[in-house]
Amino acid sequence: MDRFLQKSVRKQSNDGKSVASCSKRCIASEDSSNNKKPRNRKYDPKYLEYGFTWAGSEEAPRPQCVVCGEVLAKESLKPSKMIRHLQTKHSSLQTKPLDYFKRKLRELRGQKTILKGAVTVNEKALEASFVVSYWIAKTGKPHNIGESFFLPCAKEMVCIMLGENAATQLDLIPLSNDTIARRIHSMARDVTEQVTNMVRQSAFFAIQIDETTDVSGSAQMLTYIKFENNENLHEEFFFCQPLPQRATGEQLFSLLDTFVTDSGLEWLRCVGICSDGARAMTGKNSGLVTRVQAVAPQAVWTHCIIHRQALVAKKMPPILKQVLDEAVRTVNVIKSSATSARLFRVLCEEMGAEHHQLLYHTEVRWLSRGKVVNRLFELRDEVHFFLSDRDSMLAENFLDAKWLALIAYLADIFDRLNVLNTSLQGQEMTVFSYTDKIESWIKKLSLWYTRVESGNFEAFPLLDDFLHDNDLPKHDLKPVIISHLESLQQQFRQYFPEKDRKAEAWIRNPFSAEATANACLPLSVAEKLIDLSCDETLKLRYSEQPLANFWISVQQEYPDLSSAALKVLTPFTSTYLCEAGFSALTLLKNRYRSRLAVEDDIRLYLSHTKPRFKNLCSTLQAHPSH
């Protein structure tokens, strides 16, 4: 037994002599090479005998212990230091064979693969959470719809198309109500940062602003901004915030100034502000516009052209106003009761009418007058039958040919006004384009006036057809229609005074000799304009680009001319975008979500700028859904 123990001890000593002798040789080698220049060591597969593999890059590998996974410094890629780690940290493993360390290496690599796969899945789930949250905000849906609707539907679709195993992966995506709210807040801040950075790089900017009251009674101020970006004038949502107290000019300016200042923008670069004509906006002493112009001397105020056109449409002779009121009263009688509305629909279906319902008239809806009167005239027979059956006094109006003729005229003239109103809506309207449309309409009024005065009503097709079908005398209608057309012409000229645009004609067509001659510019700038007008290459570019893009494209070569042109082209001409934003506000903050802090949601809903999902994900640690 003693001989056996002695033999075992000698055997263990012989097994460990390679490690000890190797350690002595390495230490001696290191001592002899201390004065040599350090070299970039490479990993040798033989180092696995000491329990080490490598990590990092192949150019600069670092030793990693296959037992504990510790990664040492690059300078430790030496046998002596690896042996020292094995002796001090894993002394019981010094005599282990090479196969043991190979097995540990396989286990370590397996752990890395599992960890990498888990991290990758979590990162994908995080990005998916942001994308889903973005689409929830973009469609104006409640935040809890992600977990209650989107996720179950997505799982069902993936299960059908890809199998149940793939569907279970979707459970890792965080889509709770609070998570969606946090994602929307982060994306809104990212979009705000992108927009403000773009505005800071623009030479000029202009704003349009309006305020309204939401469903909770809170006053909301909504603002859009226009600026130069990528050689184009870009219109973008700026902000929507509640007013703390009253919607006065002081409160409006305080909120606007705070946001502009916090965004790092300079008021001196503001060249335009567009709003409606409310006192809080346009008050001479304390209105918002006055306060903005005090800090932004270059800012030119524009009264929204659509609001002005709507104000013009309201004015009409008393007889036409009476006819319109009676028409609205007729609609209200039929639609005020759900039973009446249903019975009228059945009547229209039985009589084969093209439409089966009347339309409500709303003062704040710009196009409602024309649509209401037009629909009433189309269903005049059905309305007369329905009112007669109910013994309504309003039924007598539909037996009066003159009253019906005036209804036809109102339908025609309001339809014309609606076409004008629609043409003034939309984006990329410049001062020149809206001036052209208004001047064209005023001239058409003069033409219609002349035609009606001579007894020709072809400008109003519904009225003309009705007069021919009923053989009515035209002289009874001429005074009323002529009076209305004359009043419209005067009102349009009052709200849209004729301006001499000859001095700005060079902006619209810099290659016109007449426009160049009439340009009121300093001598040096006028000379540059002549140089530009004689450049055939720029003339070709002018014919191929929108007007604003052209002037931005010559900014480097003709900076003074470009700046003067952009000061005229940048300001908004209407608050159309704000009005569209109020419709979005009504959708987002309704009676079911009356406590919603709407600023983040409406920013993602209205903004054209997409969040940077990769950047947002890089700032967060990826966690799966619990």
Side-chain angles (χ1 to χ4, degrees), residues 136 143-152 175-177 180 625:
I136 289 175
H143 299 167
N144 60 3
I145 201 172
E147 197 171 39
S148 64
F149 179 75
F150 286 166
L151 184 59
L175 290 178
S176 68
N177 181 77
I180 297 296
S625 179

Side-chain angles (χ1 to χ4, degrees), residues 27 85 101 130-131 149 163 207 382 615:
I27 293 172
H85 176 87
F101 293 116
F130 271 105
V131 172
F149 179 75
I207 58 176
E382 290 79 5
N615 292 0

Side-chain angles (χ1 to χ4, degrees), residues 467-514:
L467 292 177
H468 283 300
D469 294 341
N470 294 273
D471 194 22
L472 292 175
K474 299 179 180 180
H475 60 82
D476 291 342
L477 302 174
K478 283 173 55 176
V480 178
I481 296 176
I482 288 175
S483 174
H484 186 223
L485 294 177
E486 188 176 15
S487 173
L488 279 176
Q489 194 171 15
Q490 293 173 356
Q491 291 294 322
F492 264 99
R493 189 50 71 194
Q494 177 183 343
Y495 281 98
F496 301 94
E498 190 173 8
K499 294 183 179 180
D500 186 8
R501 295 284 182 185
K502 291 182 180 179
E504 299 173 348
W506 65 271
I507 300 175
R508 191 170 197 177
N509 186 3
F511 300 96
S512 169
E514 181 181 358

Side-chain angles (χ1 to χ4, degrees), residues 210 275-277 303-312 366 421 495-496 574-576 579:
D210 205 349
S275 70
D276 59 19
H303 187 183
C304 172
I305 56 173
I306 305 178
H307 279 86
R308 282 185 279 171
Q309 190 268 345
L311 291 174
V312 171
W366 296 325
N421 191 297
Y495 281 98
F496 301 94
S574 74
T575 58
Y576 166 77
E579 297 294 343

